[in-house]
Each structure stands twice: as C-alpha cells, then as structure tokens.
C-alpha cells in the first residue's frame, strides 16, 4: 500500500489519485445516435439515483412503517419524483436461524445488509483504543446469541487491514476472536508532527476503506461499516499547500466513490470523549455538501475531516459520548433499518466536479432522517470510453491483486473457487455471470488476471505466480450461467501450508478470491 514520506509529503496521495477507481456515484445509461449530415440528432440520457434512508424517532428508535407518500426528495433544491421505493421489510434476512458462519454463506442472505465492525488501531491513542475495545465487548454482551445480521470484525493497523473474525451470526465466535486479538501500538501517532507528516495515516485509512469496498462488492445488500476509532487525522486547509490539498481531496472523493459503488455506508464512532476537534453536524448543511473547496464539500471548520465521509455515504458520525457501546448499537441499527428511494433527476449534469445536493424529508413529525447528502455525477460514457481506450493503469492492477492476495479478507466481487488436482497443479473457476464482457468482432470477450500466493504456517508469503487469461463467447452474455475454468501451475515449496488465488476482471476491476489448504 502506498506510503507517504516526510520529505515528499504528497507522494502517497498522488499514488492514490492514480490507483483508485474512476468516480461512480450514480448509474447513467446513454444512447447517442451517430450524427447524420443535415439531420439533427437526439441524445437521450437517463440517470437513476438511489438513496438509502434511515428514519428514527426522537429516542433513536427506527421508524419502520412509512410509505412512499411520506417521503419528499429534493436535488439542488428542486423537488424530485420518487420512482422507486423499498421499505425496510424488504431488506431482511430470509430466515431467523443461523444462516451465516463464514463469508462462504453470504450467498444465502439475498439482499439483506451486513455489518462490518472496524477497530482503528492506527489513528486512535492506546488509552482510547482500550476504551473502544471495552465498549465493543459490552455491546456484544447485549446482543442475542444468533446475531440479526451477519457481522464481521476487522482491524486496521500501521501495516494492514485484516480480519479478526469473518462474517458470522455467531456472537460467541466474535467474542472469542476479540478476546484473542492483541492490538497494534499506534506508533505513527507520535512518530512525526504537522499536517504533512499525517499523510501516511490518511493514506492507510483511505486504503482500508477502499479495500473493504472492493472485497464486499459481491454482497448484494447494504454493507454498513461501523468504524470505531478516530479515523484519518484532520487536515488544516490553511496550512496545506494547494497542490497537496488538491491531491488529498481527489483521493477522498475517489475513496467515497468506491464506497458508494459497492453500496457501503460509513458510521464513525470517535471513542475520545474529550477531543476538542469540532465534529460536523449532519443535521446542518455540511458534510460533503458543505464548504467551498472547489465545490467538493470536503471542508468543515477549516479542516478536512474523516467524519465528512460518513454523511457522503449515507452513514452518520457519532462523537462526544461516554456511552460508546450504545453508539456502536446505534450504528448497527441505523445501517440495518433503511428505506431505499430512487429518482431520476429533473436536471441532468455531466460535470464531475459539481456536487449535487440531496435533501430528504418525511411528513411525520418528531423524526430524524439519515441519508447521504449528495453525489458527484458519474463518469459519462464518452469519458469512460476514453479511459478504456487508453488501457488499464498497471499500478492499479498490481495494487488490486497484491492487496487482495496478501489479505485474509474474502473478496467476493467475483465468485471464485479453486481445487488442487495434484502437486502444484490447480484449477481456478469463475462464475461467468459476474464477469463484465465487452464486445468483440465475433461475440464478446473477457480478460482476467490471476495471482497465486503461497503462505507458510506463520502466514508468511513463500511463493507467488501470475497469469493472464482471455475468454470469448458468441452467446447471450446477459444470461450466462456457466463457469470459466483455467488450469494454473504453481511451484509450491514444502514450507507452504495454504495458497490463495485472486482473480481480477480487467474490464470492471471486480476482484474475487479463493483459499485452499495445501495437502
């Protein structure tokens, strides 16, 4: 993962600007006939903006019985017609039993949401970290033995984002894993001082969020990240050089796009009850829609703050509260109980730098609405074609593959399985329906990158190999149900005990992984 240095403070974020995916905030479908001499052409564009909305009463309890007519949506102050409405009852687990014991079971839950609890061990002082851990333990004690939603527990440290416990509904499994986990000491907190020295931590934090988004792209429902910790450090706008400031804001915007594309909402919980840093008030017109930094809305109180990403993704920022366990419970509840609204903007904009504000209200008095406060328009088809013609960024490919390969996170953007046929001989299969096929002179083709990494009993990488593959079909790619299977040979050393295969779709950037114990 990219790291910044003190003598070149913006290297880290220039790398992020190159590595993160193109902005995707809403889905756009365009049809543009070829121009004909002397005849006017018609360009038709349809945008569908979807927004997840949580509604609570004055006591913080979810309000679950609202109908479509109870909501009003405005974009840039203009009323919008709600074309799609889905109540919280449609985002529930299909059964009250224990369906999920690992990420392999997530295909059983349909469009139900999942919770991802993240312990921030890079930005949080050790004393606050201890307080946060205790609060998480108290929160878990109040939950049923079989959790309502599948829940995973991750941590981000000075060196990596990793798994404490995989997705499960077994509360005892999470409690046992948390008890065994020894937190990393946040040495970067005191290693340097000044805004420019904070960039490595900021880069690591954004990288963890993007990695979570990429790993969870295959989960159909909403992914609610409850981030327990301070998040990346605030950046003083007045003390930051303009070129570095632009790189930072671009990196945050691209990270936010990655979260939105994967349907991830961020709920931030700051365990420091005495922190004097002002936290943005999401009830006011702030967050991503506030401020005046080239219209990006990333500035609040003269500083770029981690909490602004919560409002931009439909989550919420909790802070200055002694009852951290209750804040964790609120974050999980707010993320799980949501309505989904969809509308087509009355005024379409292609300007990717122009932030479009969303305001959602309900007719019922005494309620509070939590929803993302706006979006940047998605990349236009013409821009996307230009990028595709230029070819993929090699650094991005290497970053996606190596990050996934060295992690224990299960990546499910692609459905990948692997089998060991004999010593050093494997087959890797990918579900064709998740692959993005592109047109070719005869049918459609897909391009896939495969990386294999072997690990020792101490989880040290001891071998790796990569290969490129192309598939073609003349059939209807919209209804493909088959698998693509490739033979992969790996020179496996005797010290290896497991092997991880990572597959990346070159066209879409989706990533899938499969892990095997080596016989």
């Amino acid at each position: 993962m990219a790291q910044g240095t003190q003598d070149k403070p913006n290297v880290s974020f220039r790398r992020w600007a190159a590595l993160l995916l193109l902005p995707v905030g809403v889905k756009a479908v365009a049809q543009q006939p070829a121009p004909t001499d002397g005849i006017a052409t018609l360009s038709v564009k349809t945008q569908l903006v979807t927004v997840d909305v949580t509604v609570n009463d004055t006591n913080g309890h979810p309000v679950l019985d609202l109908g479509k007519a109870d909501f009003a949506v405005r974009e840039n102050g203009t009323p919008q017609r709600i074309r799609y409405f889905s109540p919280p009852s449609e985002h529930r687990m299909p059964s009250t039993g224990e369906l999920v014991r690992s990420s392999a079971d997530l295909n059983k839950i349909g469009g139900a949401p999942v919770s991802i609890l993240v312990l921030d061990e890079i930005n949080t002082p050790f004393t606050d970290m201890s307080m946060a851990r205790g609060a998480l333990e108290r929160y878990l004690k109040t939950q049923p033995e079989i959790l309502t939603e599948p829940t995973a527990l991750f941590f981000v440290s000075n060196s990596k984002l990793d798994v404490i416990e995989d997705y499960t509904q077994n509360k005892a499994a999470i409690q046992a894993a948390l008890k065994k986990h020894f937190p990393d000491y946040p040495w970067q907190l005191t290693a340097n001082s000044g805004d420019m020295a904070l960039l490595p931590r900021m880069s690591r934090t954004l990288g963890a969020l993007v990695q979570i988004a990429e790993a969870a792209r295959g989960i159909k429902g909403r992914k609610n990240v409850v981030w327990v910790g301070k998040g990346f450090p605030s950046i003083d706008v007045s003390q930051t050089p303009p070129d570095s400031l632009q790189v930072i804001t671009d990196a945050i915007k691209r990270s936010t796009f990655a979260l939105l594309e994967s349907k991830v909402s961020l709920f931030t919980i700051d365990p420091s009850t005495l922190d004097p840093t002002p936290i943005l008030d999401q009830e006011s017109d702030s967050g991503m829609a506030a401020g005046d930094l080239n219209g990006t809305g990333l500035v609040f109180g003269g500083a770029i703050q981690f909490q602004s990403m919560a409002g931009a993704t439909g989550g919420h920022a909790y802070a200055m509260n002694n009852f951290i366990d209750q804040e964790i419970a609120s974050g999980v509840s707010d993320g799980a109980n949501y309505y989904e609204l969809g509308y087509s903007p009355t005024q379409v904009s292609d300007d990717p730098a122009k932030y479009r504000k969303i305001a959602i209200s309900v007719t019922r008095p005494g309620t509070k609405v939590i929803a993302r406060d706006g979006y940047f328009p998605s990349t236009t088809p013409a821009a996307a074609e230009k990028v595709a013609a230029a070819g993929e960024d090699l650094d991005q490919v290497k970053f996606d593959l190596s990050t996934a390969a060295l992690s224990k996170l299960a990546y499910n953007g692609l459905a990948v399985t692997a089998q060991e046929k004999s010593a050093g001989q494997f087959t890797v299969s990918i579900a064709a329906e998740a692959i993005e096929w592109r047109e070719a002179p005869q049918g459609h083709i897909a391009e896939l990158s495969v990386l294999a990494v072997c690990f020792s009993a101490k989880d040290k990488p001891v071998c790796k190999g990569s290969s490129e593959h192309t598939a073609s079909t003349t059939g209807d790619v919209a209804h493909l149900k088959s698998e693509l299977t490739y033979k992969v040979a790996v020179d496996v050393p005797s010290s290896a005990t497991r092997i991880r295969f990572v597959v990346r779709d070159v066209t879409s950037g989706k990533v899938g992984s499969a892990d095997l114990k080596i016989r």
Side-chain angles (χ1 to χ4, degrees):
M1 191 169 294
Q3 291 289 316
T5 59
Q6 195 166 6
D7 57 336
K8 293 183 179 180
N10 57 6
V11 168
S12 174
F13 284 93
R14 285 206 174 97
R15 182 168 178 79
W16 272 113
L19 292 180
L20 296 184
L21 298 176
L22 284 171
V24 179
V26 294
K27 294 183 179 179
V29 179
Q31 184 176 11
Q32 194 164 4
T36 305
D37 291 342
I39 300 177
T41 60
L42 175 65
S43 176
V44 179
K45 177 171 291 187
T46 302
Q47 285 186 337
L48 177 65
V49 179
T50 58
V51 186
D52 294 337
V53 183
T54 297
V55 183
N56 292 333
D57 62 21
T58 53
N59 295 317
H61 300 141
V63 177
L64 305 175
D65 60 345
L66 299 175
K68 177 180 175 181
D70 294 313
F71 289 86
V73 179
R74 290 177 177 269
E75 183 175 296
N76 284 350
T78 303
Q80 306 293 321
R81 176 188 172 191
I82 299 175
R83 298 179 177 272
Y84 172 77
F85 176 81
S86 176
S89 58
E90 294 186 9
H91 315 131
R92 298 297 185 209
M93 293 284 288
S95 169
T96 56
E98 184 179 358
L99 292 179
V100 176
R101 294 178 176 85
S102 72
S103 55
D105 297 324
L106 290 174
N107 58 356
K108 301 176 183 178
I109 69 173
V114 300
S115 297
I116 303 170
L117 307 176
V118 181
L119 291 176
D120 180 356
E121 298 176 1
I122 185 175
N123 302 298
T124 311
F126 210 73
T127 52
D128 291 339
M129 197 185 306
S130 176
M131 185 183 301
R133 184 185 178 112
L136 181 56
E137 291 172 348
R138 292 193 299 274
Y139 159 73
L140 289 170
K141 285 182 180 180
T142 65
Q143 300 306 299
E145 293 303 315
I146 298 178
L147 300 175
T148 307
E149 291 90 26
T151 302
L153 180 59
F154 299 164
F155 73 97
V156 57
S157 67
N158 297 295
S159 59
K160 62 183 177 179
L161 168 75
D162 215 337
V163 179
I164 299 176
E165 181 62 28
D166 193 13
Y167 291 97
T168 183
Q169 289 180 267
N170 187 330
K171 180 181 76 171
I174 297 178
Q175 289 175 313
L178 179 61
K179 187 176 182 179
K180 293 179 181 178
H181 174 67
F182 187 79
D184 196 15
Y185 185 78
W187 57 265
Q188 289 191 17
L189 275 175
T190 56
N192 296 295
S193 61
D195 277 353
M196 290 301 97
L198 304 180
L199 293 185
R201 286 165 49 206
M202 195 174 191
S203 176
R204 179 69 65 189
T205 304
L206 293 177
L209 288 172
V210 172
Q211 191 176 350
I212 290 171
E214 286 300 313
R217 282 179 75 175
I219 301 175
K220 295 180 180 179
R222 189 185 194 190
K223 282 75 74 176
N224 300 302
V225 173
V226 180
W227 187 283
V228 185
K230 295 188 68 64
F232 64 67
S234 298
I235 300 294
D236 188 338
V237 173
S238 65
Q239 300 298 316
T240 306
D243 59 337
S244 297
L245 196 59
Q246 188 61 56
V247 173
I248 291 170
T249 56
D250 286 346
I252 296 175
K253 285 168 61 177
R254 290 174 183 268
S255 302
T256 303
F257 286 132
L259 295 175
L260 290 174
E261 184 183 26
S262 190
K263 202 174 175 63
V264 174
S265 293
L266 177 65
F267 296 82
T268 64
I269 297 174
D270 186 349
S272 175
T273 59
L274 300 178
D275 189 350
T277 304
I279 301 298
L280 60 89
D281 179 10
Q282 289 180 272
E283 294 300 300
S284 64
D285 184 19
S286 49
M288 288 285 281
D292 55 2
L293 184 61
N294 297 325
T296 63
L298 294 172
V299 178
F300 179 81
I304 297 175
Q305 293 190 19
F306 177 67
Q307 289 79 11
S308 66
M309 297 185 69
T313 59
H316 190 72
Y318 306 89
M320 306 299 286
N321 191 328
N322 288 317
F323 303 101
I324 303 172
D325 53 327
Q326 295 179 16
E327 291 181 338
I328 296 173
S330 296
V332 172
S333 175
D334 290 343
N337 297 293
Y338 66 96
Y339 300 82
E340 189 173 24
L341 310 181
Y343 68 94
S344 297
T346 55
Q347 296 179 335
V348 178
S349 171
D350 287 332
D351 186 353
K354 188 175 179 60
Y355 196 76
R356 301 185 70 84
K357 297 181 182 180
I358 299 174
I360 297 176
S361 59
V362 296
T363 57
R364 185 173 300 181
T367 55
K368 174 184 176 181
V369 173
I370 300 175
R372 63 185 171 112
D373 48 23
Y375 67 96
F376 289 94
S378 64
T379 304
T380 62
E385 290 172 4
K386 182 178 180 181
V387 171
E392 278 219 301
D393 188 313
L394 184 59
D395 281 342
Q396 178 172 321
V397 176
K398 291 179 179 178
F399 173 80
D400 288 347
L401 287 171
S402 62
T403 301
L406 297 177
S407 171
K408 289 184 179 179
L409 273 68
Y411 280 67
N412 51 35
L414 299 175
V416 179
T417 57
Q419 288 184 319
E420 184 179 8
K421 294 299 184 180
S422 60
Q425 302 296 318
F426 303 86
T427 58
V428 177
S429 301
I430 308 99
E433 60 184 341
I435 295 172
E436 188 162 326
W437 299 80
R438 56 187 179 86
E439 291 187 10
Q442 296 180 344
H444 293 79
I445 64 171
E447 297 175 285
L448 302 167
S449 300
V450 179
L451 177 63
V453 179
C454 307
F455 294 88
S456 68
K458 294 184 178 180
D459 270 337
K460 301 295 184 182
V462 292
C463 79
K464 70 175 181 178
S466 61
S467 56
E468 303 294 326
H469 303 272
T470 301
S472 61
T473 180
T474 57
D476 182 4
V477 295
H479 299 92
L480 285 177
K481 298 296 182 182
S482 59
E483 288 186 333
L484 303 180
T485 300
Y486 299 101
K487 294 180 179 179
V488 179
V490 182
D491 186 9
V492 180
S494 58
S495 59
T497 58
R498 72 177 178 94
I499 185 169
R500 164 168 272 218
F501 293 94
V502 176
V503 181
R504 183 181 186 275
D505 185 334
V506 172
T507 302
S508 68
K510 292 181 180 179
V511 178
S513 65
D515 293 272
L516 284 178
K517 291 183 178 179
I518 298 176
R519 293 196 294 263

